[in-house]
Amino acid sequence: VRIAGPHVIGRTFPLVVANIIAPVLIKIAPSLSTACDQELILSGLLKKQEEAVRHAYSSFEVMERHTRNDWVILYLRTLK
């Protein structure tokens, strides 16, 4: 797996969606945060991992949060 940010792709995106397990979401937070210039949807995280994921994406505010059983989906908007 290769992670590339906008410096490789050459642009940013108004919406980025990532359905990846929490440890990976945290690891790629700098790249995703840079690639996304408006809205970000994160899923694939458990309730017990939510705080760590939200911390990794602290340049975004939570607009919506949805849960199903132990799973969480976060709809974020950039604070930039």
Side-chain angles (χ1 to χ4, degrees):
V1 173
R2 184 170 179 216
I3 300 170
H7 61 285
V8 174
I9 299 168
R11 62 176 285 206
T12 59
F13 299 91
L15 174 64
V16 175
V17 179
N19 181 18
I20 310 170
I21 60 174
V24 177
L25 287 173
I26 292 166
K27 181 178 179 178
I28 66 173
S31 293
L32 279 184
S33 296
T34 302
C36 179
D37 64 11
Q38 291 180 32
E39 299 174 355
L40 179 60
I41 298 173
L42 302 177
S43 61
L45 57 141
L46 298 170
K47 288 180 183 177
K48 65 183 180 180
Q49 300 166 321
E50 180 180 358
E51 184 177 340
V53 171
R54 287 176 67 168
H55 179 73
Y57 292 87
S58 60
S59 62
F60 292 82
E61 64 179 321
V62 177
M63 301 305 293
E64 292 183 38
R65 176 186 179 272
H66 300 277
T67 61
R68 179 175 285 174
N69 300 319
D70 288 332
W71 296 98
V72 177
I73 297 173
L74 297 174
Y75 169 52
L76 309 173
R77 182 168 289 155
T78 185
L79 294 171
K80 300 176 192 175

CSV table of all heavy atoms in Angstrom, one decimal, residues 4 7-8 21 30 32 40-41 47 49 62 66 69:
chain,number,residue,atom,x,y,z
A,4,ALA,N,-0.3,8.5,-0.7
A,4,ALA,CA,0.1,9.7,-1.4
A,4,ALA,C,-0.8,10.8,-1.0
A,4,ALA,O,-2.0,10.7,-1.0
A,4,ALA,CB,0.1,9.4,-2.9
A,7,HIS,N,0.6,16.4,-2.7
A,7,HIS,CA,1.9,16.8,-3.4
A,7,HIS,C,2.2,15.8,-4.5
A,7,HIS,O,2.8,16.1,-5.5
A,7,HIS,CB,3.0,16.8,-2.4
A,7,HIS,CG,3.2,15.5,-1.7
A,7,HIS,ND1,2.3,15.1,-0.7
A,7,HIS,CD2,4.1,14.6,-1.8
A,7,HIS,CE1,2.8,13.9,-0.2
A,7,HIS,NE2,3.9,13.6,-0.9
A,8,VAL,N,1.7,14.6,-4.4
A,8,VAL,CA,1.9,13.6,-5.5
A,8,VAL,C,0.7,13.6,-6.5
A,8,VAL,O,0.9,13.6,-7.7
A,8,VAL,CB,2.0,12.1,-4.9
A,8,VAL,CG1,2.0,11.1,-5.9
A,8,VAL,CG2,3.2,12.0,-3.9
A,21,ILE,N,-9.5,0.7,9.1
A,21,ILE,CA,-9.4,0.5,10.6
A,21,ILE,C,-8.7,1.6,11.2
A,21,ILE,O,-7.9,2.3,10.6
A,21,ILE,CB,-8.8,-0.9,10.9
A,21,ILE,CG1,-7.4,-1.0,10.4
A,21,ILE,CG2,-9.6,-2.0,10.4
A,21,ILE,CD1,-6.6,-2.2,10.8
A,30,PRO,N,-2.1,12.7,8.6
A,30,PRO,CA,-1.5,13.9,7.9
A,30,PRO,C,-1.8,14.0,6.4
A,30,PRO,O,-2.1,15.0,5.9
A,30,PRO,CB,0.0,13.7,8.2
A,30,PRO,CG,0.1,12.9,9.5
A,30,PRO,CD,-1.1,12.0,9.3
A,32,LEU,N,-4.3,12.5,4.7
A,32,LEU,CA,-5.8,12.7,4.5
A,32,LEU,C,-6.2,14.1,4.8
A,32,LEU,O,-6.9,14.7,4.1
A,32,LEU,CB,-6.6,11.7,5.3
A,32,LEU,CG,-6.8,10.3,4.8
A,32,LEU,CD1,-7.8,9.5,5.6
A,32,LEU,CD2,-7.3,10.3,3.3
A,40,LEU,N,-14.7,15.4,5.4
A,40,LEU,CA,-14.1,14.1,5.5
A,40,LEU,C,-15.0,13.1,6.2
A,40,LEU,O,-15.6,13.5,7.3
A,40,LEU,CB,-12.8,14.3,6.3
A,40,LEU,CG,-11.9,13.1,6.6
A,40,LEU,CD1,-11.4,12.4,5.4
A,40,LEU,CD2,-10.7,13.5,7.5
A,41,ILE,N,-15.2,12.0,5.7
A,41,ILE,CA,-16.0,10.9,6.3
A,41,ILE,C,-15.1,9.8,6.7
A,41,ILE,O,-14.4,9.2,5.8
A,41,ILE,CB,-17.1,10.4,5.4
A,41,ILE,CG1,-18.1,11.6,5.1
A,41,ILE,CG2,-17.9,9.3,6.0
A,41,ILE,CD1,-19.1,11.3,4.0
A,47,LYS,N,-16.0,2.3,18.8
A,47,LYS,CA,-16.3,3.4,19.8
A,47,LYS,C,-15.0,3.6,20.7
A,47,LYS,O,-14.7,4.8,21.0
A,47,LYS,CB,-17.5,3.0,20.6
A,47,LYS,CG,-18.8,3.1,19.9
A,47,LYS,CD,-19.9,2.8,20.8
A,47,LYS,CE,-21.3,2.8,20.1
A,47,LYS,NZ,-22.4,2.4,20.9
A,49,GLN,N,-12.0,3.5,20.0
A,49,GLN,CA,-10.9,4.1,19.2
A,49,GLN,C,-11.2,5.5,18.8
A,49,GLN,O,-10.4,6.2,18.3
A,49,GLN,CB,-10.6,3.2,18.0
A,49,GLN,CG,-10.2,1.8,18.3
A,49,GLN,CD,-10.3,0.9,17.1
A,49,GLN,OE1,-11.2,1.0,16.3
A,49,GLN,NE2,-9.3,0.0,17.0
A,62,VAL,N,-16.3,17.9,14.2
A,62,VAL,CA,-17.3,16.8,14.0
A,62,VAL,C,-18.7,17.5,13.7
A,62,VAL,O,-19.2,18.2,14.5
A,62,VAL,CB,-17.5,15.9,15.2
A,62,VAL,CG1,-18.5,14.9,15.0
A,62,VAL,CG2,-16.1,15.2,15.5
A,66,HIS,N,-22.4,8.9,13.8
A,66,HIS,CA,-23.4,7.8,13.7
A,66,HIS,C,-22.7,6.6,14.3
A,66,HIS,O,-21.5,6.3,14.1
A,66,HIS,CB,-23.8,7.6,12.3
A,66,HIS,CG,-24.5,8.8,11.7
A,66,HIS,ND1,-25.8,9.1,11.9
A,66,HIS,CD2,-24.0,9.8,10.9
A,66,HIS,CE1,-26.1,10.2,11.2
A,66,HIS,NE2,-25.0,10.6,10.6
A,69,ASN,N,-24.0,-0.6,16.6
A,69,ASN,CA,-23.3,-1.5,17.5
A,69,ASN,C,-22.0,-0.8,18.1
A,69,ASN,O,-22.1,0.2,18.6
A,69,ASN,CB,-23.1,-2.9,16.9
A,69,ASN,CG,-24.3,-3.5,16.4
A,69,ASN,OD1,-25.4,-3.5,17.1
A,69,ASN,ND2,-24.3,-4.1,15.2
